[in-house]
Structure formats: structure tokens, C-alpha cells
Amino acid sequence: MEKELLIKSTPTEVEIALIEDKKLVELHTETNDNDFSVGDIFLGYTKMLRPGLNAAFSDVGVRKDAFLHYTDLGPQIKSLQLYTRLALEKQLSGHLLENFKIQPENEKNGKIDRVFKKNQPCLVQILKEPISTKGPRLTCEITLAGRFMVMTPFKNNVSVSKKIVNAEERKRLKVLVESIKPKNFGIIIRTAAEGKKVADLHDEISNLTTKWAAITTELGQSKKPRKVLSEVDKTKGFLRDIMNESFNKIVIDDKDMYADAKAYLQSVSPQQVKILSLYKGKKPLFDHYGIGKQIKSSFSKTPTMSSGAYLVIEHTEAMHVIDVNSGPKSQSRDQEAAALKVNIDAAREIARQLRLRDLGGLVVIDFIDQRKKENKNILYSKMKEFMAEDRAQHTILPLSKFGLIQITRQRVKPELKINTLEACPSCKGSGKVEPAQLLPDEIERHLKFIIEAYPNAAITLRVNPLLHTYFKNGIITKQMRWYMTYKKWVKLVSDQELHINQYKFMNKFDDEIRIETD
């Protein structure tokens, strides 16, 4: 499978497109004014306790109060609370935890008001970004993520990713990390650590402990709710979390971002710097690689597949519902085989749509009915296979007797919605257009205004081919009448992309001369 990463930067946002086998599968946007990102660590103060919900609302220094449920406190909450208090009072000896006394673990089924008091400070981490009217969701199980491992304070265990299947390698990594990790820090070894040398792992542990030291320093400098550590930007986070040997190309259109990404890759994966390139083309990056067109076709309410089959995607407050339709091209006599083929194609597209739109919560899929049990099992297996590339946690249930598959998918940020509908160029979204017979008079009024405002400008008028024919028709054409009236030659250009009621005035640099209208 070919994997490509395209990163487009503008002054206000960064867009990241993940391409697999020439198909867009993930699209991420990071704006410059975003207050929350998953992984950010804040100093929060308990604002309200809600025993009925067994939860608290925390003030983290931004407009929306954040939600903290008892189940997200974690067993080390008492140690975290003590550490926060000592850091605020500047009573810690050193930035690490060698001399810190780990507190007893919190009970699993307790009550929130026995753990927190109003206005009590505590370090918290963003677990989910704000969604709809809800504020961000918090966790007190602090994690510091690196490329090869994740560090968890107030623990001492070392665990290895299940995706590392070689028993000897698992043992090697565990023994190695246990020998170099700092006291009272737990480590989760990630898949990317497989085969790495001790120097690589030691460097990452040093980087992660430096982050923890930065948190301690920030805590000692302020007692107000505030962000104390930002997660890395989405570009570096993406490179950190998904980069592997299967990537073929990374293209970035911004020089500064390219330099940052190159420096980051050189530090974590020098052999992959060669696949990084700076885009210098004249076309926008996404247009050059055909991503703009894919976005338009993929985010519609009814995305269509090459076979002619299509999906209908509906959203409710509680769930997402997807209906599979065979489309007009399905004319096979063997209905069971045809249904299986369409369903498998649809399952592949649905797995892509879930990643692309980042649909979370409950997803119910109504596939085309199949009678044979073995075909239902094949479809279920294929659905799991296509979802295997999805990094979000998910659970897939077998087909019900009604032909439905239910999927629950982790949701950590708002669903990505892109409006693919465009305003009608003729009516400008109003549903009404000016009478066609008045259009030549309107064009002439605007032409007169432009000639008076820019007497020395070279003017080109781009119009629909039908209107172009109208202006060129007759012994004395409309174009010639303009020349006789205004003593200025206006070049006429036929443009098939313009609607019958559309027209554009252009200057000699082929830039549009815009006319403000009420």
C-alpha cells in the first residue's frame, strides 16, 4: 500500500491529507486560534461538583468549563493532587520523582466529592476536544507521548505494545527500558520502538523527562488556571504517531514547516528524510494532487463508488446512520452475488468515510439484504479487515438478522464537516435570477463605469458562449457599438465555465475587475 502525506499551510490554518493508494482517507485541520488539543495539559481548578453525575467541572482558564468524570481520575489521582500542591507551593525537591512519595491508589468505585473539593487545583489533560455545546473532557491520568514510548508519572510498570509479536524483542525492550527509565515513571513501549537501539530510547526518555520538568516549572510560576504544556502541533504529532516504513512521500508547501519537519525526522527517523519534499508548484498543493476534487466528492451526503453503488449518510444527535444502495448499474441475475459484491465495496468505502469524516459514537449501517449466512460472515470479516487501518478505538458487531452492522468508534474531536454545495452562480443562493433580456444592459452599465474609473485600462469581457455569440452577431456587432460609443476596444472571450447569466471583466494581467453591487 502506497502512503503519502500532503501538508498545506495558510496564514490561519494547516491542512493535513493522508493518502492511501491515491485515495484520501484522512483530513485534519489545525487552526491558529484553537484553545484545545487532545494531549494538552492544564492547571485546572474545580469549579463545580456534581455528585449526581459523579463528575466535576473544572476551570482551565478558557471560556468553556471542562468535564471530569470519576472514571477518568485514574488510580494515581492522590499522587497527582499532592504533586500539584507541592509544585504550586514550590516545595518539591527537584523536577523528577525520585524523592516523591507515591500515595495510595484511589478506589475504583468511589465518589467525586470524596476526592475533590471546590476550588482545588490539579493537573488535568485534554481527553476529548469540545464537541457541539459540550466543553472538553478531561483526564487525570497524565501521559507524555513520544515516538517510541509513552511516559506515565506516578507509576513504575513497563508494558509493551501488543503489535510487537516477537517474544524475544518484547523481552529485550522491556528489560532495556526498565534499566534506563527514571524512578516513579511508568513506560508504555510503542510499536515504533521495535528494533531500536538503547541510545534512541534513552534520548526519548530524556526528552520526555524534560517535558515533565517544564510542567513543574510552569506550575511554580502561576496559581491561575492555565495551559502548562501544549501537545506538539498536528504536523509533528502526525509524523510521530503514524510514520512507518510504508510511507512513500511527504510533501509540504511551506518553507518553515518543511524545515521543522525535516529537523524532526532527522532526530527520530533519519532514513526517512529522503521522502520529504518541499512543493514549489504554481497550482495549490491539493489541486495539484487532485485532493480538492476528492474532498468535494467524498463529503457529499451521497458519496458514490466506481461501481455506481452509493451511500446515504445521515446524522442524528445520538448516532450516524448509513444506507447502502446498489445504484442503477446493478443488473446481475445472481442477486446474492451482486449484493455481496456491492456490500464489500460499500464496507471499504464506509471504513474510509469513518476515518475521513472522523465519525464517532454509534454508527449503524444498513447493508443490502443477504440470505446466505456464509456471505454475511464474509461481509463481517471484510468490514473488520477494512477497519484495521483505523487508529481510533472501535468495536464492530456481526450482522443482525435485519442486515445491520453496528460500530462504536472513539470520538475525541468534533466530526469533520465540509459543505460541498456551492451557491448558484446565477442567483447567488437566492433562488431567483434577473430577466435574461436585461443582462446586456447590465453589462453595458458596468462597462461604462469601468471605462470611466480606469480610462487607460485594457479590458477583456469573459462571457458564456451563447452570450458571446449574441454580442458578435449582426453587421454592426455589440462589440463594435461599444467601440463607437466609448472609443475603446473591449476584447470578448467565450468561456464555457461561465453560466448564461455570468460574466467577468478582466484587466491585462488577467485579474478580475470586481464591481461592488448592492
Side-chain angles (χ1 to χ4, degrees):
M1 179 187 292
E2 288 190 0
K3 286 188 178 182
E4 300 174 352
L5 201 62
L6 307 180
I7 302 173
K8 183 181 79 170
S9 176
T10 69
T12 58
E13 65 181 17
V14 176
E15 288 185 279
I16 303 171
L18 176 61
I19 316 298
E20 291 181 357
D21 291 336
K22 306 299 180 183
K23 271 203 164 187
L24 177 68
V25 295
E26 290 186 32
L27 185 65
H28 300 265
T29 303
E30 181 181 34
T31 57
N32 295 338
D33 59 351
N34 190 16
D35 292 328
F36 301 102
S37 291
V38 174
D40 285 351
I41 298 175
F42 286 79
L43 169 62
Y45 281 78
T46 307
K47 193 170 183 179
M48 291 183 289
L49 294 170
R50 290 290 181 264
L53 298 173
N54 206 15
F57 287 90
S58 181
D59 178 7
V60 292
V62 292
R63 184 172 58 86
K64 286 187 176 181
D65 289 337
F67 180 77
L68 175 62
H69 194 268
Y70 187 90
T71 54
D72 294 318
L73 297 184
Q76 281 74 41
I77 180 61
K78 294 178 181 177
S79 295
L80 182 63
Q81 288 175 326
L82 176 60
Y83 185 86
T84 304
R85 181 174 63 81
L86 294 176
L88 289 172
E89 296 173 357
K90 299 182 180 180
Q91 294 182 9
L92 288 172
S93 56
H95 293 303
L96 299 183
L97 303 175
E98 295 98 332
N99 302 319
F100 183 83
K101 185 179 180 181
I102 302 295
Q103 300 299 297
E105 290 191 357
N106 190 42
E107 56 181 299
K108 191 174 182 180
N109 299 311
K111 298 295 181 183
I112 192 76
D113 52 2
R114 294 185 179 179
V115 179
F116 276 100
K117 296 179 182 178
K118 193 174 180 180
N119 295 323
Q120 183 174 354
C122 188
L123 274 180
V124 290
Q125 191 166 27
I126 302 297
L127 185 64
K128 291 183 180 180
E129 293 181 12
I131 297 173
S132 185
T133 58
K134 301 175 182 177
R137 183 160 181 167
L138 304 176
T139 178
C140 288
E141 295 194 80
I142 306 296
T143 57
L144 301 174
R147 175 159 169 74
F148 306 130
M149 62 190 73
V150 177
M151 179 178 282
T152 56
F154 314 113
K155 296 183 180 180
N156 275 299
N157 60 308
V158 175
S159 57
V160 184
S161 168
K162 293 180 180 178
K163 292 183 179 180
I164 300 178
V165 295
N166 186 291
E168 289 186 4
E169 178 63 8
R170 291 176 64 88
K171 184 178 179 181
R172 181 189 77 88
L173 287 171
K174 189 169 184 177
V175 171
L176 194 156
V177 171
E178 282 178 340
S179 66
I180 60 175
K181 79 172 187 68
K183 184 182 178 183
N184 291 333
F185 283 96
I187 298 291
I188 302 168
I189 301 172
R190 306 180 76 169
T191 312
E194 188 171 9
K196 295 300 176 183
K197 298 178 181 178
V198 63
D200 298 323
L201 302 179
H202 186 272
D203 287 345
E204 182 145 293
I205 286 178
S206 297
N207 291 335
L208 295 177
T209 51
T210 300
K211 283 187 178 182
W212 182 253
I215 291 173
T216 307
T217 302
E218 287 291 323
L219 283 176
Q221 292 177 352
S222 176
K223 293 188 177 182
K224 294 181 180 179
R226 64 197 287 263
K227 186 185 293 187
V228 295
L229 185 72
S230 291
E231 171 68 318
V232 296
D233 59 71
K234 268 193 169 62
T235 304
K236 290 181 182 176
F238 227 70
L239 295 176
R240 180 193 69 197
D241 293 339
I242 70 169
M243 274 297 294
N244 54 44
E245 287 72 18
S246 65
F247 271 80
N248 308 93
K249 186 187 295 182
I250 303 172
V251 185
I252 302 176
D253 66 355
D254 181 81
K255 288 183 179 180
D256 294 336
M257 192 170 289
Y258 168 79
D260 288 345
K262 185 175 182 180
Y264 181 77
L265 282 179
Q266 284 175 335
S267 65
V268 299
S269 185
Q271 69 276 12
Q272 289 185 298
V273 173
K274 60 185 179 183
I275 68 173
L276 181 68
S277 63
L278 176 63
Y279 178 72
K280 298 179 181 178
K282 294 182 178 179
K283 276 187 175 182
L285 175 63
F286 280 10
D287 290 347
H288 178 77
Y289 284 91
I291 301 305
K293 186 177 180 181
Q294 286 199 48
I295 291 173
K296 289 287 186 184
S297 63
S298 298
F299 281 89
S300 69
K301 182 181 176 181
T302 57
T304 304
M305 291 162 276
S306 57
S307 63
Y310 62 94
L311 309 175
V312 179
I313 303 176
E314 295 281 1
H315 311 276
T316 73
E317 185 68 23
M319 67 176 72
H320 306 280
V321 182
I322 302 176
D323 185 38
V324 178
N325 294 276
S326 58
K329 295 184 180 179
S330 180
Q331 299 176 350
S332 174
R333 294 183 179 180
D334 188 345
Q335 292 185 359
E336 185 73 13
L340 178 61
K341 183 179 185 306
V342 170
N343 283 342
I344 290 175
D345 288 345
R348 181 184 290 106
E349 178 63 18
I350 288 168
R352 185 176 82 98
Q353 287 287 337
L354 295 184
R355 294 174 65 188
L356 186 57
R357 302 183 187 219
D358 208 3
L359 301 183
L362 179 61
V363 181
V364 178
I365 307 164
D366 183 12
F367 284 99
I368 297 173
D369 290 340
Q370 298 176 142
R371 295 182 179 180
K372 296 181 180 179
K373 186 176 180 180
E374 57 267 31
N375 287 342
K376 292 182 179 181
N377 292 336
I378 290 172
L379 176 58
Y380 176 55
S381 298
K382 287 292 184 180
M383 191 77 244
K384 291 196 295 184
E385 177 187 328
F386 298 143
M387 289 288 290
E389 290 290 325
D390 195 339
R391 293 180 294 127
Q393 295 180 14
H394 59 268
T395 303
I396 306 172
L397 297 182
L399 268 80
S400 70
K401 64 180 180 180
F402 299 115
L404 306 176
I405 278 186
Q406 298 175 68
I407 299 175
T408 59
R409 186 174 182 274
Q410 179 189 26
R411 177 165 62 177
V412 297
K413 64 179 183 179
E415 170 196 344
L416 181 60
K417 293 181 180 179
I418 295 178
N419 185 9
T420 59
L421 300 179
E422 298 178 353
C424 171
S426 299
C427 70
K428 305 296 188 293
S430 69
K432 298 179 181 179
V433 296
E434 295 291 336
Q437 59 265 39
L438 300 182
L439 188 62
D441 294 338
E442 178 185 303
I443 291 175
E444 186 161 355
R445 283 199 309 273
H446 289 166
L447 175 62
K448 182 181 178 182
F449 172 81
I450 291 172
I451 292 174
E452 290 175 352
Y454 310 101
N456 299 321
I459 301 173
T460 299
L461 174 61
R462 305 182 75 92
V463 292
N464 178 274
L466 290 175
L467 203 57
H468 183 270
T469 302
Y470 170 77
F471 284 149
K472 287 283 191 179
N473 192 32
I475 298 174
I476 301 178
T477 66
K478 194 74 171 173
Q479 187 181 26
M480 183 61 70
R481 290 180 188 276
W482 289 341
Y483 179 73
M484 293 167 63
T485 302
Y486 302 111
K487 304 296 185 289
K488 192 173 189 67
W489 185 255
V490 178
K491 183 180 179 182
L492 277 174
V493 175
S494 175
D495 190 338
Q496 292 183 348
E497 293 186 0
L498 295 178
H499 191 270
I500 182 64
N501 284 1
Q502 268 188 298
Y503 58 91
K504 294 181 179 180
F505 289 103
M506 317 298 289
N507 61 21
K508 65 178 181 180
F509 303 107
D510 206 30
D511 293 326
E512 184 178 356
I513 303 172
R514 296 188 178 274
I515 301 172
E516 297 296 331
T517 58
D518 295 331

